[in-house]
C-alpha cells in the first residue's frame, strides 16, 4: 500500500494534538481532583476568613489605652469577656477594658488590636472575666489582627481553568466551599496488541511465541498519563480480526493505542486497517527506535499504531500519545522537562533519523549534569527503558559527538512543567 512521507517528530505530535479534543467535564469529589487540572475557573463563595480574627492567644484591646505603657508604668485593664475560636462577643468594650481572646476567634467590633498572652501579667483574678491584666508596652494599631477576606474575597477566582489541583489547592478549594470540582473525564484508552506470536503473561510461551508485554506496559503508561486503559485480547496477524478489534476499541474509547504490525512486513495490517476504517494521517515518524508509527482517526477516535518492539512502542507512547492524553484532560504543560547535560562518552551515529537513546542523567558536584547512554540500544529491550531516567536526544542526520559535548536529555522521570 501507499506509504506516506516521514514526519518530523514535532509535526507528528502537532498532527495528533490537532485531532484530539478535551474530554467532557465531570464533577468529582474534591480529593479525586488531586493531580488533575480544573476544567473551569473556580471562585470562593465567601470571604476567607469571613471575619477579622485574632492571630494570637491574648487580649483584644483599644491600642489607644496602651499609649505610654512601660515596665515602670504598666497599664492595667479589666477583662470583660473571654472568647475562643467559634464564639462571638459583640458587647461593649469601654476604654480601660479588654477581651481575653484565642487564636481564630472573631475580633470584638469594639477592639482594634491584640496583645499576645506572653506579654501581659494577670494582676487580679484568674485572667478570665472580672480579672485585671497589666500591659507593659504600647501596641501598634491593628497588631495581631487578621483582616477578613485575606485569603480570598467572595466571588474572587482562586483557581483558573488548567491549574492543576495539588494538595495545597485541595485545601484552598475546601475553604472556598468546593466539595466537588469540575475536571475533564479521564480519557479511556483502548490497548490493542497485534501479533500471532503473542501469548498471555500467565503462559510459558511455546515454540516461536513470546509473552505480550506491550499491552501491560502501554496500559501502565496510560495510567501514569491520567487515563483509564482497557486491554483488548491480543489479535493475531489477521486482517479481519485486527479490523474487528479496532472497530470495537474505537467505539468504546477516547483514544486507541495498538502495538505491532505497523511496518510493511507480510503480516502488518494496522495501517491498512486505519485506512480502511477511517482517515489515515501519517504512517512514518523520523525517529529511532520506532519509525513505523501509524496515526489516523476512526469513527472520531484517534488511533495510534505503535511499532511492535517493546522499547519502540514505549517511546512512541511517551512521545506521541502522552501529550495527547494530557491535552484531553486540560493540562497546559504537554512537554517533559529537558536537561542539558555534558556527554560522558563520544557518540557517533550514521542515522538519518532522530535518535532517542536510553540512558541516565545525573547531577555532578559542581551543580551541572552529566549524561551516559546505555551500551545496548536494541529496540527489543524494555529493561533498559526501566533503568533509564532520560532519553538522550541525538539530532537528525549523522552525528559525531565527543565526550564533553552538550546534549539534550528528555526527562521521562520528571513531570511536565517541573523545570
Ligand atoms: P512488529 O512491529 O509486529 O513487526 O513487531 C516487532 C517486534 O516486536 C517483534 O519481535 C514482535 O514479536 C515484538 N512485539 C510485537 N508486539 C509485541 C507485544 N505486544 N509484546 C512484546 N513484543 C511484541
Ligand atoms: Mg508483528
Amino acid at each position: 500500500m501507499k506509504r506516506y512521507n516521514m514526519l518530523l517528530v514535532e509535526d507528528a505530535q502537532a498532527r495528533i494534538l490537532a485531532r484530539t479534543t478535551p474530554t467532557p467535564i465531570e464533577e468529582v469529589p474534591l480529593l479525586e481532583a488531586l493531580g488533575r487540572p480544573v476544567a473551569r475557573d473556580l471562585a470562593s463563595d465567601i470571604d476567607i476568613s469571613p471575619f477579622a480574627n485574632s492571630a494570637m492567644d491574648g487580649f483584644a484591646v483599644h491600642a489607644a489605652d496602651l499609649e505610654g505603657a512601660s515596665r515602670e508604668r504598666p497599664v492595667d485593664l479589666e477583662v470583660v469577656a473571654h472568647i475562643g475560636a467559634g464564639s462571638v462577643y459583640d458587647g461593649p468594650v469601654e476604654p480601660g477594658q479588654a477581651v481575653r481572646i484565642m487564636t481564630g476567634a472573631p475580633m470584638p467590633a469594639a477592639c482594634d488590636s491584640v496583645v499576645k498572652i506572653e506579654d501581659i501579667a494577670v494582676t487580679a483574678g484568674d485572667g478570665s472575666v472580672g480579672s485585671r491584666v497589666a500591659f507593659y508596652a504600647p501596641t501598634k494599631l491593628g497588631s495581631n489582627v487578621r483582616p477578613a477576606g485575606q485569603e480570598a474575597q467572595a466571588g474572587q477566582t482562586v483557581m483558573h481553568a488548567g491549574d492543576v489541583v495539588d494538595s495545597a489547592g485541595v485545601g484552598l478549594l475546601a475553604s472556598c466551599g468546593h466539595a466537588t470540582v469540575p475536571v475533564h473525564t479521564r480519557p479511556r484508552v483502548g490497548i490493542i496488541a497485534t501479533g500471532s506470536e503473542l501469548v498471555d503473561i500467565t503462559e510459558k510461551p511455546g515454540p516461536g511465541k513470546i509473552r505480550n508485554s506491550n499491552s501491560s506496559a502501554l496500559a501502565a503508561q496510560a495510567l501514569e498519563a491520567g487515563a483509564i486503559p482497557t486491554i483488548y485480547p491480543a489479535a493475531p496477524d489477521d486482517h479481519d480480526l485486527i479490523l474487528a478489534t479496532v472497530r470495537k476499541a474505537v467505539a468504546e474509547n477516547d483514544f486507541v493505542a495498538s502495538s505491532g504490525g505497523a511496518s510493511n512486513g507480510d503480516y502488518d495490517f494496522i495501517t491498512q486497517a486505519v485506512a480502511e476504517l477511517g482517515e489515515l494521517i501519517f504512517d512514518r515518524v523520523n525517529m529511532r527506535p520506532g519509525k513505523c508509527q501509524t496515526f489516523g482517526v476512526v469513527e472520531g477516535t484517534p488511533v495510534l499504531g505503535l511499532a511492535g518492539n517493546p522499547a519502540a512502542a514505549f517511546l512512541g507512547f511517551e512521545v506521541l500519545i502522552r501529550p495527547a492524553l494530557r491535552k484531553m484532560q486540560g493540562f497546559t504543560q504537554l512537554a517533559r522537562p529537558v536537561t542539558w547535560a555534558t556527554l560522558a562518552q563520544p557518540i557517533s551515529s550514521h542515522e538519518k533519523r532522530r535518535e532517542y537513546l536510553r540512558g541516565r542523567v545525573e547531577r555532578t558536584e559542581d551543580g551541572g549534569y552529566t549524561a551516559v547512554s546505555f551500551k545496548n540500544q536494541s529496540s527489543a529491550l524494555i529493561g533498559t527503558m526501566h533503568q533509564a531516567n532520560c532519553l538522550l536526544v541525538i539530532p537528525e542526520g549523522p552525528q559525531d559527538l565527543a565526550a564533553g559535548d552538550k546534549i539534550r536529555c528528555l526527562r521521562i522521570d520528571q513531570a511536565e512543567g517541573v523545570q
Side-chain angles (χ1 to χ4, degrees):
M1 66 176 291
K2 177 176 180 288
R3 283 285 164 185
Y4 284 61
N5 286 336
M6 187 112 90
L7 289 185
L8 201 67
V9 174
E10 284 71 20
D11 290 342
Q13 288 169 328
R15 287 189 197 201
I16 296 168
L17 290 177
R19 300 306 290 263
T20 49
T21 46
T23 52
I25 296 173
E26 61 175 345
E27 283 282 333
V28 298
L30 176 55
L31 277 176
E32 285 175 31
L34 186 63
R36 300 165 78 176
V38 298
R40 283 191 277 266
D41 289 358
L42 297 178
S44 181
D45 62 340
I46 54 167
D47 287 350
I48 307 168
S49 159
F51 46 84
N53 62 91
S54 177
M56 291 284 173
D57 297 333
F59 289 86
V61 297
H62 308 276
D65 279 354
L66 304 188
E67 263 171 40
S70 67
R71 274 277 142 210
E72 300 71 37
R73 297 171 59 93
V75 170
D76 217 38
L77 300 179
E78 177 198 1
V79 181
V80 293
H82 184 174
I83 51 173
S87 51
V88 174
Y89 176 72
D90 53 13
V93 183
E94 306 294 343
Q97 296 183 333
V99 173
R100 187 177 177 108
I101 192 168
M102 300 296 117
T103 305
M107 274 301 283
C111 299
D112 54 36
S113 314
V114 171
V115 177
K116 63 176 192 269
I117 206 148
E118 293 84 347
D119 292 347
I120 63 97
V122 176
T123 49
D126 61 0
S128 188
V129 179
S131 306
R132 297 197 69 82
V133 287
F135 296 80
Y136 299 98
T139 193
K140 261 201 357 233
L141 190 66
S143 57
N144 300 318
V145 178
R146 301 190 287 218
Q150 196 177 33
E151 179 89 81
Q153 279 163 15
Q156 184 186 334
T157 297
V158 293
M159 236 181 242
H160 292 92
D163 284 355
V164 177
V165 179
D166 57 8
S167 42
V170 165
L172 179 62
L173 292 175
S175 66
C176 296
H178 292 281
T180 64
V181 177
V183 292
H184 291 280
T185 58
R186 294 190 180 281
R188 295 162 301 170
V189 178
I191 311 276
I192 298 175
T194 70
S196 299
E197 73 277 34
L198 303 176
V199 301
D200 192 68
I201 318 173
T202 53
E203 287 181 46
K204 274 249 162 53
K209 308 288 183 189
I210 59 166
R211 288 198 177 108
N212 170 11
S213 62
N214 285 353
S215 290
S216 300
L218 297 172
Q221 288 179 281
L223 281 172
E224 279 184 335
I228 301 171
T230 299
I231 297 178
Y232 289 84
D237 293 310
D238 174 278
H239 171 270
D240 294 353
L241 282 174
I242 290 176
L243 242 70
T245 309
V246 171
R247 242 198 222 109
K248 185 169 162 58
V250 295
E252 296 173 351
N253 292 282
D254 303 305
F255 200 107
V256 171
S258 78
S259 70
S263 43
N264 45 8
D266 297 342
Y267 304 102
D268 292 334
F269 296 115
I270 196 76
T271 311
Q272 200 179 331
V274 171
E276 279 179 41
L277 294 175
E279 181 191 353
L280 179 62
I281 296 168
F282 66 75
D283 67 356
R284 296 284 175 98
V285 183
N286 198 11
M287 62 193 278
R288 183 189 156 138
K291 167 178 67 176
C292 294
Q293 318 259 10
T294 286
F295 179 65
V297 178
V298 176
E299 306 287 343
T301 302
V303 178
L304 198 99
L306 298 160
N309 277 304
F314 191 96
L315 176 69
F317 191 107
E318 168 64 36
V319 172
L320 300 174
I321 300 182
R322 186 178 162 97
L325 297 180
R326 288 179 65 84
K327 179 187 174 190
M328 292 166 91
Q329 295 166 82
F331 284 99
T332 53
Q333 303 275 3
L334 304 184
R336 294 272 203 190
V338 165
T339 298
W340 280 92
T342 305
L343 199 50
Q345 84 238 70
I347 296 179
S348 65
S349 147
H350 305 292
E351 182 55 54
K352 288 199 184 77
R353 290 177 270 160
R354 178 184 308 172
E355 283 189 278
Y356 291 90
L357 302 180
R358 283 151 273 168
R360 290 197 70 84
V361 60
E362 312 282 358
R363 262 215 120 95
T364 53
E365 271 174 17
D366 63 5
Y369 289 92
T370 172
V372 291
S373 137
F374 299 149
K375 231 191 201 115
N376 191 339
Q377 293 288 334
S378 164
S379 61
L381 303 179
I382 192 70
T384 45
M385 192 65 88
H386 166 65
Q387 285 151 15
N389 71 349
C390 75
L391 298 163
L392 285 69
V393 183
I394 314 291
E396 291 81 352
Q399 300 288 332
D400 238 331
L401 301 172
D405 282 355
K406 291 284 180 211
I407 190 159
R408 290 175 67 216
C409 301
L410 194 63
R411 299 302 297 262
I412 53 174
D413 60 339
Q414 290 183 354
E416 290 81 351
V418 161
Q419 280 175 335

